[in-house]
Amino acid sequence: MNCPIGVFDSGYGGLTILKELVKKLPEYDFLYLGDNARTPYGTRSFNVVYEYTLQAVKYLFSQNCRLVIIACNTASAKALRNIQQLDLPKIAPDRRVLGVIRPSVEKVAEITRNGHVGVLGTSGTVISESYPIELKKWSGGKVKTVVQEACPMWVPIVENNEIDTFGADYFIEKNIRNILQKDKKLDTLILGCTHYPLLLNVIKKYVPNKIKILEQGEIVAYKLLDYLTRHPEIGNKLTRNGKIQFQTTEATENFENKAALFLGREIKANNIHL
Ligand code: DGL
């Protein structure tokens, strides 16, 4: 029986995480689920994001995933804690759900030299204050100031494949200018949304070279490898045939075309209902 690692995002963004997971853990099986029919999550309320994310996690459990990575900052910020603390003990005490915020926060503490950190994210992630709270908690006092900027147009730009357009440039330049004005001493900028690495070429045009831009894919992959080594009770139950499946709540044709663009190779997807 196939026992893949579940990777969940509201849409395409989680593919930036999946790509790095596959690079670091090529022998494992993965099942990617994009809730493209209901994306974006970033502008939705706490309760809605929690409900949608829990549905996705339950679905991935039904597909035999013993470990699920929430490859979405918005869902990690708004749903992960409740799922871990309230739902898992009831529905699947022997399974695990991990997010993307904690690994990123730990990495920032290693990188920043002056403790001035900026976070770019969806409105939901920014309003949740998850990054400032977690950065204070897990950086061992290294992070002194955290400024945030909500970038509500960036996910629709990615989802609608408007990356190489004047519109993308306009919104990205505007949000970067805003965050740079909020703290003139910024030395580290977190791309706190898994969609944003797909905009990296444009983002880099407006961020001064001295500021380190932190992408999450590689960090999450490294942390997962470490987690599996420390938790053989989970790792040993996962199958390793190097098989990757893709599922979407939207039309498969759209998903296959765009995912191929983002991953740089052809893929086949199945449509599912949550
Ligand atoms: N990739 C999700 C994140 O990391 C995007 C959220 C959305 O759907 O708005 O936050």
Side-chain angles (χ1 to χ4, degrees), residues 9-10 13 39-42 71-74 122 125 155 192-195:
D9 181 48
S10 61
T39 196
Y41 279 16
C72 173
N73 289 265
T74 311
T122 64
T125 299
V155 170
C193 173
T194 53
H195 282 68

Side-chain angles (χ1 to χ4, degrees), residues 8-17 32 35 38-44 49 70-77 100 120-125 131 151-152 154-156 159 191-197 216:
F8 169 67
D9 181 48
S10 61
Y12 299 109
L15 294 172
T16 62
I17 304 284
Y32 183 88
D35 191 7
R38 301 190 293 194
T39 196
Y41 279 16
T43 42
R44 295 188 191 275
V49 174
I70 308 269
C72 173
N73 289 265
T74 311
S76 296
V100 288
L120 298 165
T122 64
S123 308
T125 299
Y131 271 100
C151 311
W154 293 20
V155 170
E159 290 287 324
L191 300 187
C193 173
T194 53
H195 282 68
Y196 296 175
Q216 298 177 305

